[in-house]
Amino acid sequence: MLVNLNKLLPRAREKRYAVGAFNINNLETLRGVVAAAEALRAPVILQTSEGALEYAGLEYLAALAHTAAKKTRVPLVFHLDHGKDVALIKRVIRSGLYTSVMFDGSRLALKENMRRTRELARLAHARGMTLEAELGVIKGVEDKVSANKDLFTDPAQAAGFVAETRCDALAVSIGTSHGAYKFFGTPKLEIARLKAIARTVRVPLVLHGASGVDAHALDALHEKCEVWGDCERLSGARGVPDSQIREAITYGVAKINIDSDLRLSFTAAVRSAFLNDKKMFDPRMYLGAGRSAVEEVVKNKIKLFKG
Ligand code: G3H
Ligand code: 13P
Ligand code: ZN
């Protein structure tokens, strides 16, 4: 069954657990995520970035999500992640294929972010869809800017932003960033800032850039790295420790976005499959290994988010 965020997140926030939101780009990642959800009977959010739509095509990804929803008993949300292009978001809303969208207006001036978020929330609600908004900037792998607290979500603005825009969930910037390189020194989220936001904001909060990039994932990727000649490739990569994810959940975070951990595990499994059989040329063999690796990661995330 496909549902929207409001069917899952308010209860999650109230009961202090979080629902995993996993980025899918192809059949293998979708099947890996859904298999994990089914095995643990847990709802999940399937999300596609604008890049995923460019890569795979909106209708193809929607067909995958809708087929999964027909075949499984666990509730699934089909969500547009980081929608920035207003025309594209409107197309997604009008298509009726999604149950939820995110408008990422974080790089706009506050007033303009509010104005566009409000307009898109109205359109989404008219179709029974939910809208996630973002206040404060969550840095991405493409950004050259270093950590800058001015970009973090201002607790003084948050409640007004939510009331004005009527968004259903709010993505906050509290020190995470997208990609595998999240922290220069010790990983540390601004939990005091999150607490202050949670005190006044009632809608569920969303943690982006939440991948763990743990040692196990990096070891798996670098198995026999001398063969690939990239033993240093991800040196300095650092993610969010599990303990800080748990802490964030206790202060209102009810949706947790994971992409990088899926990419790392998928790639590690594909590499390993090639290393184990150099004569292999059946894509089902190495893509199947990637899909199983995604399933394992998602199972671990679901357990972590449940507490
Ligand atoms: O938030 C960003 C996600 O990791 C999606 O990344 O735009 O490369 O698909 P992408
Ligand atoms: P990661 O890069 O930490 O997996 O974050 C993904 C994300 O926030 C997608 O919106
Ligand atoms: Zn994100």
Side-chain angles (χ1 to χ4, degrees), residues 23-25 47-53 55 81-82 84 102 104 138-142 177-179 208-209 211 257-260 263:
N23 285 75
I24 58 156
N25 292 279
Q47 56 185 16
T48 61
S49 64
E50 289 185 350
L53 298 189
Y55 171 74
D81 186 32
H82 288 287
K84 291 183 180 165
M102 173 184 187
D104 176 352
I138 299 153
K139 293 178 286 108
V141 275
E142 77 279 8
S177 58
H178 295 106
H208 282 247
S211 277
N257 285 17
I258 302 288
D259 188 357
S260 296
R263 296 177 182 202

Side-chain angles (χ1 to χ4, degrees), residues 43-89:
V44 286
I45 297 157
L46 304 169
Q47 56 185 16
T48 61
S49 64
E50 289 185 350
L53 298 189
E54 227 170 81
Y55 171 74
L58 190 158
E59 286 82 6
Y60 288 92
L61 290 169
L64 290 176
H66 284 252
T67 304
K70 263 189 223 137
K71 291 180 95 63
T72 182
R73 293 168 70 113
V74 294
L76 304 173
V77 178
F78 188 42
H79 177 76
L80 176 72
D81 186 32
H82 288 287
K84 291 183 180 165
D85 174 346
V86 171
L88 174 69
I89 301 170

Side-chain angles (χ1 to χ4, degrees), residues 246-264:
R246 289 294 326 152
E247 214 182 344
I249 292 170
T250 64
Y251 296 114
V253 166
K255 173 176 181 276
I256 300 190
N257 285 17
I258 302 288
D259 188 357
S260 296
D261 281 344
L262 306 186
R263 296 177 182 202
L264 286 170

Side-chain angles (χ1 to χ4, degrees), residues 7-293:
K7 286 271 185 285
L8 303 178
L9 300 189
R11 182 177 158 79
R13 178 166 177 178
E14 187 198 330
K15 302 280 178 202
R16 297 189 178 204
Y17 64 88
V19 181
F22 302 99
N23 285 75
I24 58 156
N25 292 279
N26 55 21
L27 172 74
E28 286 72 24
T29 42
L30 170 116
R31 294 285 307 264
V33 173
V34 174
E38 272 189 318
L40 297 177
R41 298 203 182 141
V44 286
I45 297 157
L46 304 169
Q47 56 185 16
T48 61
S49 64
E50 289 185 350
L53 298 189
E54 227 170 81
Y55 171 74
L58 190 158
E59 286 82 6
Y60 288 92
L61 290 169
L64 290 176
H66 284 252
T67 304
K70 263 189 223 137
K71 291 180 95 63
T72 182
R73 293 168 70 113
V74 294
L76 304 173
V77 178
F78 188 42
H79 177 76
L80 176 72
D81 186 32
H82 288 287
K84 291 183 180 165
D85 174 346
V86 171
L88 174 69
I89 301 170
K90 287 184 178 171
R91 183 155 77 85
V92 165
I93 294 174
R94 268 190 247 110
S95 77
L97 294 169
Y98 282 67
T99 55
S100 185
V101 293
M102 173 184 187
F103 172 57
D104 176 352
S106 59
R107 287 178 192 268
L108 303 170
L110 179 63
K111 271 203 164 154
E112 189 57 11
N113 184 3
M114 278 186 166
R115 192 185 66 74
R116 292 195 200 176
T117 303
R118 175 71 199 113
E119 183 200 352
L120 291 165
R122 199 179 286 126
L123 291 177
H125 292 159
R127 300 257 179 173
M129 297 163 71
T130 42
L131 183 124
E132 173 186 338
E134 179 171 327
L135 180 63
V137 179
I138 299 153
K139 293 178 286 108
V141 275
E142 77 279 8
D143 298 322
K144 304 280 183 281
V145 286
S146 55
N148 177 354
K149 286 186 191 228
D150 294 345
L151 302 177
F152 290 177
T153 306
D154 180 352
Q157 291 176 344
F161 181 88
V162 171
E164 181 70 25
T165 62
R166 318 258 170 89
C167 63
D168 302 285
L170 183 68
V172 292
S173 175
I174 55 164
T176 60
S177 58
H178 295 106
Y181 300 86
K182 300 188 189 299
F183 302 98
F184 294 114
T186 313
K188 195 156 172 35
L189 300 190
E190 295 225 343
I191 295 294
R193 183 182 296 272
L194 176 63
K195 267 191 205 174
I197 297 166
R199 256 198 297 274
T200 57
V201 173
R202 290 285 138 241
V203 297
L205 303 176
V206 184
L207 192 64
H208 282 247
S211 277
V213 193
D214 63 13
H216 175 74
L218 292 174
D219 287 351
L221 187 72
H222 289 288
E223 188 198 7
K224 299 202 186 136
C225 64
E226 63 285 354
V227 177
W228 307 102
D230 72 337
C231 292
E232 301 305 315
R233 194 157 67 98
L234 288 192
S235 60
R238 219 163 268 137
V240 185
D242 288 355
S243 58
Q244 292 188 36
I245 294 285
R246 289 294 326 152
E247 214 182 344
I249 292 170
T250 64
Y251 296 114
V253 166
K255 173 176 181 276
I256 300 190
N257 285 17
I258 302 288
D259 188 357
S260 296
D261 281 344
L262 306 186
R263 296 177 182 202
L264 286 170
S265 66
F266 196 108
T267 306
V270 171
R271 281 181 163 205
S272 171
F274 279 124
L275 285 173
N276 291 337
D277 182 355
K278 297 205 178 62
K279 293 196 179 122
M280 171 182 51
F281 60 89
D282 181 344
R284 290 172 297 189
M285 305 306 285
Y286 54 87
L287 294 178
R291 162 179 155 178
S292 302

